[in-house]
Amino acid sequence: MLEGAWAQAGAAAVRRAWGPAGLGWVLGTALQLTQASLWPVSGYGALALLALMAGVGLMRAMRYWPRSRWGWLPVAAALAFAATGGRAVGFAAQALPPAADGALVQAVWRVTAMPGRGVQSVAFEAQLLQARTRDGHDLPIRGTIRLSWRPFGAVRGEAAMPRVLPGETWQGSLRLRAPRGLANPHGFDAEAWLWREGIVATGSVLEGGRHEAPRRLADDPWRHPVERARTMVRDAIVERLQPGHEPAAVGLVAALVTGDQGAIPAAEWAAIRATGVAHLVSISGLHVTMFAVIATVAAGLVWRGVGRRWPSVLLRWPVPVAAGVGGVALATAYALFAGWGVPAQRTVSMLALVVALRLSGRRWPWGATWLAAMVVAVVLDPWALLQPGFWLSFVAVAVLFGQGGAAWQPTGLGQRLRHAVMGLLRVQAVITVALAPLTLLLFGQVSVIGLLANLIAIPWVTWALTPVALAGVAVAPLWDAAAWLAQALLAVLRWLAAWPMAVWERPAPPLPLAVAACAGAVLLVWRAPWRWRVWGLWLLWPVLAFRPATPPPGAFEVLLPDVGQGSAAIVRTARHTLVFDSGPPMARSDAAERVLLPWLRALGSVPDAVVISHDDSDHAGGLATLAQAFPTATWWASFDPGARHAGRVHTCAAGVSWAWDGVSFEFLHPPAPDWVPPRQGGDNARSCVLRIGQGERAALLVGDIRQEEEAALVAADPTLRTGLLVAAHHGSRTSTGAVWLDALRPRAVVIQAGWRNRYGHPHPAVLQRLQARGIPWADTPTCGAVTWRSAEPTTLACERARAPRYWHAVPHAGAAGTENPRADAASDAGAD
């Protein structure tokens, strides 16, 4: 009797404490993800021990003081903080040693995941079984590595793509690198993505020259059966559909069946994002739920057939139990097969919880179910909190839960159809409004036509395209039908995306305003009296009225993004913006699309002028993207861009000048529009050189001019001075010469280059010149994006120092920092 009372009291205590504990777990995990550096594992262990001790005391207190249940919030938060930190320390221990960054090794590796196939290369994840350096030392590295393999001769079309399958073991030469990505405000955090994916190193498979071609040692499909099956199905879809269907339709079918979004051509993503249907392209909750419904019905029918033959099994496992468990199991298998993304995890967790509650006869409030699914997702993957899809998914589900069910149930086919259409319209409208501020915060834009596009795409994808594509796994000709359905959908999306004002863009608001706007949007659509919901408009208004700060009249700022081995700059005055160079190509995209456009959108800036210094791909790689985005801007270049820009392009020449908001702009080079560079100079010698401002508060953007052009500029104007100098040619030794530095006397120098680039930029000789003259400097490989302001000409603000996280690459000690950085480690920074 006493034991039963204790059990009931314990169950009641758990019910009371569950909400605060679950909320605390999520908050504690989120707090740990803000750490700039990890503690020792003993620190996390001590925190966990203290939390457990506090939990024991709290369990006793709850007998006499029920309100003490909220004490579980900090206890659970501390436990989550410690658990996540401990997992992070364990993962960090597997990373590539800093001394081995860039090492050439002879390795044996096993492919572990579905490869992504590009035009000239294949990328895949692998487990490193053996790695030996040139000097014969074994490299102690565990965990998953991500490799890129471009066969020798692939660029010239002389080599076929290698066929790589999960479970295969290969041997060959690798160049290993520490996980690293570009560091830009409002840009994609590749290092966070690599950390979350469990990637401890990246690398390239080498072949050609002195490197022998890799060879396959073994093939064990049973080691990674799910990934092997995904790859085989994806390749079968591509092989069947590629000859007769457009690539976008082929990629969409492959993405819906196997979760491989990389199969969709990059050009199609613009229309998908503009119409707000990206959630349908990934394996979303709608797809998993649809599959679960079909699987539950099928499992119930099968189990009834089994019961007719063996009635006794129905007594042990009734049809509702078998159907519910079978549906969840099959939905889980589908989610795993499709890549196990965050929306799929959330949906499977909720489905499993709902089925378990129904089968047990219990009923939880929707908030408890929602929170339980979130806790499960966070426990499985704490770093899922870094994904935009996590927040979009859970906020959308919370809003739908909050809407409640309809009290009136229609009768008759016509009423049911009308009720279903109106219900879909209402749900989509509610979700569009509720998620608009969050979408604006995460992506800087909201699809205006998203409501209409989703009304068409959701039923089309959920109840037609996806079921037909999945059925094609069993009946391959159905993939052709799915491809036709995909082509029809894509045609509609392209048409909608071409509408004027299809996308609404706003500057990125500060986090407090964004959080208030998200709360306001949810309040606006909540099922509550309008006298309360109208307050949501007041919470939304600050975001709508927000304008980012700009330099005061007479001042300006230069933003130098991290674009890898390339150059680009954004110059802002009080009311005008200029873009200088467009960065290099990047895989299936370019720096303009990946870096410049998101940053400009976040600033709320539209360029009034664009300058492309010269026609090298590392400076003009994003020219066409900028031309499409800003056709009305005034364009300047030292060459004819041809078909990449349909409008007028002015030729930059010395003496051309203008003024914006009290700031002067003047081209200093080339000497004349028809100036022919020396034979050895080429495009580099013809680079546009732009001076902004005057004297020690000026900025000089110089493209890739050589020391010969530098000397000519000094000879033409011995009084030339500058505050900021962007080093020419990424810090090449043929530029930024001693005469140039002595004449300009720059207050700060920034070098834009790629991390561990093959050219060795910045060259040690350039860094030694800066060090000898005591000139503050920073380089984008170690600093990330750099901000310089004319009001503070000696200060260089580094993006990597603005909001550091423990998964970010740590700059070399002594490299340029955030406050008046100096070149104290010039030899280290240029050692490569």
Side-chain angles (χ1 to χ4, degrees), residues 550-551 571-578 605-608 659-661 665:
T550 58
V571 182
R572 295 207 308 158
T573 66
R575 293 178 299 172
H576 294 83
T577 300
L578 177 142
S605 297
V606 177
D608 301 278
W660 285 341
D661 307 318
F665 291 75

Side-chain angles (χ1 to χ4, degrees), residues 403 426 430 433 519-540:
Q403 295 298 303
R426 181 178 63 83
V430 165
V433 173
V522 172
L523 179 60
L524 198 61
V525 300
W526 207 257
R527 284 195 172 232
W530 271 105
R531 65 177 180 271
W532 297 109
R533 292 163 67 176
V534 73
W535 286 99
L537 295 175
W538 291 103
L539 293 174
L540 284 169

Side-chain angles (χ1 to χ4, degrees), residues 431-441 445-446 504 521:
I431 292 297
T432 299
V433 173
L435 295 186
L438 187 57
T439 305
L440 189 65
L441 172 66
Q445 60 183 24
V446 176
W504 182 53

Side-chain angles (χ1 to χ4, degrees), residues 610-664:
V610 177
V611 178
I612 306 297
S613 63
H614 62 296
D615 198 14
D616 281 357
S617 62
D618 54 343
H619 293 251
L623 189 157
T625 298
L626 291 181
Q628 183 178 5
F630 310 114
T632 61
T634 301
W635 279 73
W636 299 87
S638 61
F639 60 96
D640 181 4
R644 289 173 290 174
H645 187 285
R648 182 182 180 187
V649 177
H650 304 275
T651 303
C652 56
V656 176
S657 64
W658 67 95
W660 285 341
D661 307 318
V663 178
S664 62

Side-chain angles (χ1 to χ4, degrees), residues 270-422:
I272 291 173
R273 286 191 292 263
T275 51
V277 299
H279 64 101
L280 296 173
V281 174
S282 61
I283 303 301
S284 68
L286 281 172
H287 301 131
V288 177
T289 303
M290 176 272 297
F291 188 89
V293 170
I294 296 174
T296 300
V297 172
L301 292 175
V302 170
W303 198 247
R304 285 190 180 91
V306 172
R308 294 190 188 97
R309 186 173 182 87
W310 297 287
S312 60
V313 300
L314 297 181
L315 298 176
R316 189 176 181 89
W317 295 293
V319 171
V321 174
V325 174
V328 171
L330 290 172
T332 303
Y334 171 53
L336 288 170
F337 184 81
W340 196 239
V342 170
Q345 294 177 29
R346 181 260 303 162
T347 305
V348 169
S349 301
M350 283 192 173
L351 287 173
L353 184 58
V354 169
V355 169
L357 290 173
R358 287 189 175 182
L359 293 180
S360 64
R362 294 182 175 88
R363 184 179 180 86
W364 283 8
W366 72 262
T369 305
W370 177 82
L371 182 58
M374 179 179 285
V375 170
V376 170
V378 171
V379 169
L380 290 174
D381 182 6
W383 297 278
L385 290 170
L386 302 173
Q387 285 191 306
F390 180 93
W391 299 104
L392 292 170
S393 176
F394 276 97
V395 170
V397 171
V399 171
L400 291 178
F401 269 138
Q403 295 298 303
W408 173 72
Q409 295 297 328
T411 58
L413 180 60
Q415 288 186 347
R416 289 180 181 179
L417 182 60
R418 185 164 52 253
H419 182 71
V421 172
M422 294 303 297

Side-chain angles (χ1 to χ4, degrees), residues 489-585:
L489 175 64
L490 289 168
V492 173
L493 295 181
R494 295 184 191 117
W495 175 64
L496 291 174
W499 285 16
M501 300 295 294
V503 176
W504 182 53
E505 297 181 353
R506 294 290 302 162
L511 185 59
L513 293 185
V515 172
C518 292
V522 172
L523 179 60
L524 198 61
V525 300
W526 207 257
R527 284 195 172 232
W530 271 105
R531 65 177 180 271
W532 297 109
R533 292 163 67 176
V534 73
W535 286 99
L537 295 175
W538 291 103
L539 293 174
L540 284 169
W541 176 250
V543 165
L544 299 177
F546 173 73
R547 293 290 186 276
T550 58
F556 67 98
E557 66 181 6
V558 180
L559 313 176
L560 297 160
D562 181 7
V563 293
Q565 187 64 17
S567 292
I570 299 171
V571 182
R572 295 207 308 158
T573 66
R575 293 178 299 172
H576 294 83
T577 300
L578 177 142
V579 172
F580 188 94
D581 281 343
S582 59

Side-chain angles (χ1 to χ4, degrees), residues 17-63:
W18 158 244
L23 181 60
W25 190 275
V26 175
L27 293 176
T29 303
L31 182 62
Q32 195 281 330
L33 299 187
T34 66
Q35 282 193 288
S37 59
L38 293 172
W39 298 345
V41 68
S42 57
Y44 295 112
L47 178 62
L49 182 60
L50 290 174
L52 290 173
M53 293 171 61
V56 172
L58 194 59
M59 291 177 64
R60 296 180 177 178
M62 285 184 65
R63 301 180 190 174

